[in-house]
């Protein structure tokens, strides 16, 4: 069993991993930037070491320094969390070369699934349904226009690498496509070092539903049901819930079977998530695979009773899964909302100092926090500062508890998206489960702050 872990991340996910490690009796090492020197996760770890300056290149992307600290502190393994280096195949390979366990899949699998064009090819070979599109990088905007004409507008222009909606744009006609191609290509090159673009048919008003999987090194794999993540702004998730109120049991089962089939086909090992678009007729199409722990993993934990970080560590330690698909339970309903330091009207980041923090308490409430009272939210990092997870015996009970919790939640000194979250949760369409990916654009017209 792994005895000591370095967490190569920050914020709430670092604290989350540390919490499970403490429960398992595993020692922890945190690494932090100058901007994060007073962050809560630094004090949660058994040991903590400065990586460097506040910029990510000086700290959380500084592979050389991370590995130096890992060697000096005698850790067995590195947990990458999500974001930063979590889906960086070169980092995973560097960990292995340094004699460290990377808590995640093999580097070659990360590389394979991190390129959306290559991932499409692999999933097509595995027999998964794909959104109609073009399974190789486009040469230029002229070829993009020719492909779009063939599959029919509207289409979705996408960057092959990366995520978070960067390099992604829906286009309705040839003029829009020609304008969008170069800008998105440059953006993808800047953020991911890879400007390859491809095109898929736009599935209009879909649901974004993903399947959580676990796979060990002995050929065993299970799915842990689904999460619906359709409420988004700018292609980034805001509200996630499990299970989906839209799926019927047969579709749910078929999506799970497809996900397990996929991970076995690529020799996947550890926790992962396959994301799908689901249309109004419950046809599902492979979108992408995240080869890491997801931000929204707590809702799966709440309905299954499993600790996904614990499962990651056990698998990385060389253990077999100790339960079968038939033993994976599903009870109740859980909803997670992401709390951002951002303007709820413009969605622009709003860094600053927190002058007051009041958290809701009560049955079914779980907090994952990156901040505390008097914390300074830095402009150097993603503005997500907390996750509120609320569970109940039914979806209606979970929604009622979440409404009450959001009305109690207070963060003073900075702008947050709490007003947006309140508007979403009280909307009649949300209560009915009418949560397609255009939910915010369609229903949330004006935020009263």
């Amino acid at each position: 069993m792994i005895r000591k872990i370095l967490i190569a991340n920050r914020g709430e996910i670092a604290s989350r991993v540390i919490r499970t490690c403490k429960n398992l009796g595993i020692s922890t090492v945190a690494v932090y930037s100058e901007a994060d020197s007073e962050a809560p996760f630094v004090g949660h770890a058994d040991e903590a070491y400065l990586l460097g300056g506040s910029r990510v290149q000086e700290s959380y992307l500084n592979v050389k320094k991370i590995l130096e600290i890992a060697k000096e502190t005698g850790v067995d393994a590195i947990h990458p969390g999500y974001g930063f280096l979590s889906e960086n195949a070169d980092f995973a390979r560097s960990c292995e070369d340094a004699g460290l366990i990377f808590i995640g899949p093999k580097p070659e699998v990360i590389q394979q699934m991190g390129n959306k064009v290559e991932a499409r090819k692999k999933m097509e070979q595995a027999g998964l349904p794909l959104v109609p599109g073009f399974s190789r990088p486009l040469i230029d905007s002229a070829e993009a226009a020719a492909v779009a004409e063939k599959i029919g507008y509207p289409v979705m222009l996408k960057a092959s690498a990366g995520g978070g909606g960067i390099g992604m744009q829906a286009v309705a006609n040839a003029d829009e496509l020609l304008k969008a191609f170069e800008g998105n290509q440059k953006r993808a090159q800047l953020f991911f070092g890879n400007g390859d673009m491809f095109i898929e048919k736009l599935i209009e008003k879909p649901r974004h539903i993903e399947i959580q999987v676990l796979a060990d090194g002995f050929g065993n794999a299970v799915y842990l049901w689904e999460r619906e993540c359709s409420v988004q702004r700018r292609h980034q998730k805001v509200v996630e819930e499990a299970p989906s109120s839209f799926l019927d049991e047969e579709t749910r089962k078929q999506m799970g079977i497809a996900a397990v089939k996929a991970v076995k086909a690529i020799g996947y090992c550890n926790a992962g998530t396959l994301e799908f678009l689901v249309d109004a007729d419950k046809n599902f199409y492979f979108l992408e695979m995240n080869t890491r722990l997801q931000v929204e993993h707590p809702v799966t934990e709440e309905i299954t009773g499993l600790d996904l970080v614990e499962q990651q560590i056990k698998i990385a330690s060389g253990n077999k899964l100790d339960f079968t698909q038939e033993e994976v339970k599903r009870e109740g309903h859980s909803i997670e909302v992401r709390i951002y330091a951002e303007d709820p009207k413009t969605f622009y980041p709003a860094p600053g100092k927190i002058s007051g923090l009041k958290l809701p308490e009560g049955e079914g409430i779980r907090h994952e926090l990156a901040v505390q009272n008097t914390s300074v939210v830095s402009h150097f990092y993603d503005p997500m500062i907390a996750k509120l997870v609320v569970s109940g015996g039914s979806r209606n009970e979970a929604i009622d508890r979440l409404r009450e919790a959001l009305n109690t939640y207070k963060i003073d000194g900075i702008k947050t998206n709490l007003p947006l979250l309140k508007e979403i949760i009280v909307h009649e369409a949300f209560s009915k489960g009418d949560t397609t990916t255009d939910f915010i654009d369609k229903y949330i017209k004006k935020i009263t702050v």
Side-chain angles (χ1 to χ4, degrees):
M1 185 71 173
I2 292 169
R3 296 172 300 169
K4 192 173 186 179
I5 294 175
L6 182 148
I7 299 93
N9 217 296
R10 64 179 296 275
E12 62 87 17
I13 188 57
S15 292
R16 164 73 190 88
V17 174
I18 290 167
R19 187 170 70 240
T20 288
C21 288
K22 287 185 182 297
N23 291 340
L24 295 175
I26 296 171
S27 299
T28 55
V29 176
V31 288
Y32 61 93
S33 69
E34 289 179 353
D36 279 339
S37 60
E38 300 297 323
F41 78 91
V42 176
H44 293 161
D46 297 309
E47 302 172 52
Y49 297 87
L50 177 66
L51 274 173
S54 298
R55 299 183 184 279
V56 292
Q57 292 82 3
E58 302 168 326
S59 52
Y60 300 108
L61 297 182
N62 188 341
V63 173
K64 182 180 178 181
K65 186 64 175 177
I66 290 170
L67 293 179
E68 284 178 0
I69 294 172
K71 184 178 180 180
E72 290 168 3
T73 55
V75 302
D76 307 305
I78 291 182
H79 195 300
Y82 52 71
F84 294 132
L85 296 166
S86 63
E87 291 180 288
N88 186 309
D90 290 337
F91 177 61
R93 194 170 289 113
S94 295
C95 290
E96 289 188 352
D97 291 344
L100 299 166
I101 296 170
F102 177 81
I103 301 178
K106 292 295 181 182
E108 54 270 23
V109 176
I110 296 174
Q111 187 166 356
Q112 196 175 77
M113 300 311 291
N115 183 300
K116 293 183 178 65
V117 172
E118 289 302 312
R120 273 182 64 93
K121 292 178 183 177
K122 284 293 179 184
M123 294 301 101
E124 187 172 25
Q125 292 169 7
L128 268 69
L130 301 178
V131 177
F134 201 52
S135 295
R136 71 166 173 80
L138 296 160
I139 297 171
D140 52 26
S141 59
E143 184 178 43
V147 171
E149 193 67 34
K150 184 176 180 180
I151 64 177
Y153 289 97
V155 297
M156 182 67 83
L157 182 66
K158 289 184 174 182
S160 294
I166 297 168
M168 181 189 298
Q169 187 174 337
V171 291
N173 54 56
D175 287 341
E176 283 188 19
L177 178 61
L178 294 174
K179 291 176 183 176
F181 189 89
E182 186 176 346
N184 282 284
Q185 187 177 54
K186 286 181 178 177
R187 199 169 294 115
Q189 182 65 45
L190 176 65
F191 278 88
F192 312 125
N194 182 341
D196 288 347
M197 305 296 295
F198 73 107
I199 278 181
E200 291 179 339
K201 177 69 176 174
L202 179 67
I203 305 298
E204 298 189 78
K205 298 181 179 179
R207 292 175 183 257
H208 186 136
I209 298 177
E210 59 193 29
I211 304 293
Q212 175 72 58
V213 294
L214 289 174
D216 63 24
F218 301 89
N220 304 304
V222 296
Y223 63 89
L224 307 183
W225 311 109
E226 81 282 358
R227 297 184 289 258
E228 175 144 354
C229 310
S230 301
V231 181
Q232 306 176 2
R233 89 282 190 266
R234 294 178 175 170
H235 303 296
Q236 290 189 314
K237 302 163 187 173
V238 179
V239 181
E240 300 108 343
E241 57 182 309
S244 167
S245 62
F246 177 69
L247 294 186
D248 55 59
E249 290 301 328
E250 181 58 27
T251 306
R252 177 175 286 120
K253 180 180 177 181
Q254 291 306 315
M255 290 181 73
I257 290 171
V260 168
K261 183 179 179 181
V263 298
K264 287 187 174 182
I266 61 174
Y268 195 86
C269 182
N270 213 263
T273 297
L274 284 92
E275 303 198 353
F276 296 89
L277 291 180
V278 183
D279 67 19
D281 296 319
K282 296 187 175 69
N283 299 306
F284 59 91
Y285 306 93
F286 172 77
L287 181 63
E288 64 181 2
M289 183 176 188
N290 293 123
T291 55
R292 54 168 169 80
L293 193 68
Q294 294 277 88
V295 176
E296 57 272 22
H297 76 274
V299 293
T300 296
E301 294 183 325
E302 292 300 313
I303 67 164
T304 63
L306 294 169
D307 182 326
L308 294 189
V309 175
E310 178 181 345
Q311 294 300 320
Q312 283 191 294
I313 294 170
K314 286 181 176 179
I315 292 169
S317 297
N319 296 342
K320 287 184 178 181
L321 288 174
D322 56 7
F323 53 88
T324 65
Q325 186 65 62
E326 291 70 26
E327 293 172 318
V328 178
K329 66 178 182 179
R330 188 183 85 224
E331 294 181 3
H333 198 96
S334 186
I335 308 173
E336 172 183 291
V337 293
R338 302 187 188 190
I339 299 172
Y340 290 92
E342 68 179 18
D343 189 306
K345 297 180 181 178
T346 64
F347 305 144
Y348 291 148
K353 185 174 182 178
I354 295 173
S355 59
L357 180 63
K358 180 183 178 183
L359 302 178
E361 298 178 354
E363 188 175 357
I365 291 177
R366 168 176 169 178
H367 296 287
E368 301 291 348
L369 288 170
V371 296
Q372 58 193 4
N373 194 14
T374 73
S375 285
V376 175
V377 180
S378 172
H379 66 278
F380 289 106
Y381 314 116
D382 184 275
M384 190 181 80
I385 56 174
K387 299 183 310 198
L388 171 63
V389 186
V390 179
S391 304
S394 66
R395 186 171 189 265
N396 286 341
E397 184 175 49
I399 290 173
D400 288 342
R401 287 177 175 176
L402 181 55
R403 286 174 178 168
E404 185 176 347
L406 284 172
N407 286 332
T408 306
Y409 213 120
K410 294 194 182 302
I411 303 176
D412 298 323
I414 59 171
K415 289 184 178 181
T416 72
N417 68 331
L418 283 171
L420 171 65
L421 296 174
K422 292 175 184 178
E423 291 284 342
I424 292 170
I425 299 304
V426 300
H427 202 285
E428 182 182 6
F430 185 85
S431 296
K432 291 180 177 179
D434 182 13
T435 53
T436 51
T437 56
D438 64 346
F439 181 92
I440 289 178
D441 290 338
K442 183 177 180 180
Y443 294 118
I444 309 301
K445 304 299 183 185
K446 185 178 180 182
I447 303 298
T448 304
V449 180

